[in-house]
Amino acid sequence: MASRGQGADRHILHTNAASGEHKRMRILLTGDKGYIGSVMAPMLIQEGHNVTGLDSDLFEHSAFSPLLADIPSQKKDLRDLRVSDLEGFDAVIHLAGLSNDPLGDLNPALTYDINHHASVQLAKLAKEAGVKRFLFSSSCSTYGAAGSEDLLDENAKFNPVTPYGRSKVLVEQDVLKLADTRFSPTFLRNATAYGVSPRLRFDLVLNNLVAWAYASRRIYVKSDGTPWRPIVHIEDISRAFVAVLNAPMDLVNGEAFNVGRSDENYQIRELAEIVNEIVPNCRIEYAKDGSPDSRCYRVNFSKINRVLPDFKPQWTARKGGKELYDAIKQAGLQLEDFEGPRYKRISHIQELLRCGLLDADLRWREPVVA
């Protein structure tokens, strides 16, 4: 089963011919209340799909705006699922997990338990329940410390540098083994996300730079600005998942796709300069102890455009930066808002732990009945 590189190209005539009506599916969307899921859910509904959510809702108190879609959703931990939770679905879109490098570093063993083991168990349960498609939200962070010399395609060597990145690699490797003619896993390696969401995050590079610029008139760069990073809007990530759902199953079975645009690879200092042009009366400031980030990679996104012509990304860093600035300005956010526990994932989890609302395994504590 081809999984990494250009294997899907053999089906290119098939996909170009497969136009017209797409099958409406019953979809289980894990992480439906998260940063990406809260944007993806209404897009899936607009496509005519029947969407059910599943989310432990660790960030229920981190809302930036009301959810855009009212879908049935289970509040359930990914680690506690049974086959019965997966029965009757045509596809699983798996977004849920500890969602970035700092949060993954908080407790690496727990990161592997949730992001790796629970994700693989979810895929096994889905296959046992008769689910045909499994779309996994992977990451370009799987390439890790790759340097900036070459644009990396899906054949590039994995080189993750964090528990978060390593967990994504392990899921891809283990879930691929489940692929057969009845069960089709697809791995979407998203570039670094940005953009406005009902569950907005400010621990992502472009979101953070714009927020700092608005609240302090400083564009605060925490590295030396040299690392390369591909970025992609969360709406375009959602469009990629829709394109995979619309594709013939044998076209995407066992395949990996980098999700983004090849012309949206930037050095961090370039993003700072873009923000400086968007937010008035700002200056760029580099952290005194800033050093090169070991996470440095440039990515080639030609495969997804070639194999899945339904995927048509709409956003650029400049357009997204303006969207972020307008939303932050309208909300009147202050520095303590986006650097504190409300919108910063790791700070929010640490606050829930400190208050005793979560246990050490990041499970909600049962309320004490008087």
Side-chain angles (χ1 to χ4, degrees), residues 134 148 188 349 369:
F134 187 87
S148 60
L188 291 95
I349 293 296
V369 178

Side-chain angles (χ1 to χ4, degrees), residues 78-79 94 96-98 100-101 103-121 136 160-171 173-174 361-362:
L78 193 65
R79 293 165 285 183
H94 181 35
L98 300 180
N100 63 5
D101 290 328
L103 189 54
D105 291 340
L106 180 66
N107 184 335
L110 197 55
T111 298
Y112 291 118
D113 186 34
I114 296 172
N115 285 15
H116 173 215
H117 298 298
S119 295
V120 175
Q121 179 65 11
F136 177 61
V161 296
T162 63
Y164 171 77
R166 286 191 285 272
S167 73
K168 295 292 189 183
V169 171
L170 291 170
V171 174
Q173 292 173 339
D174 289 347
D361 291 328
L362 300 189

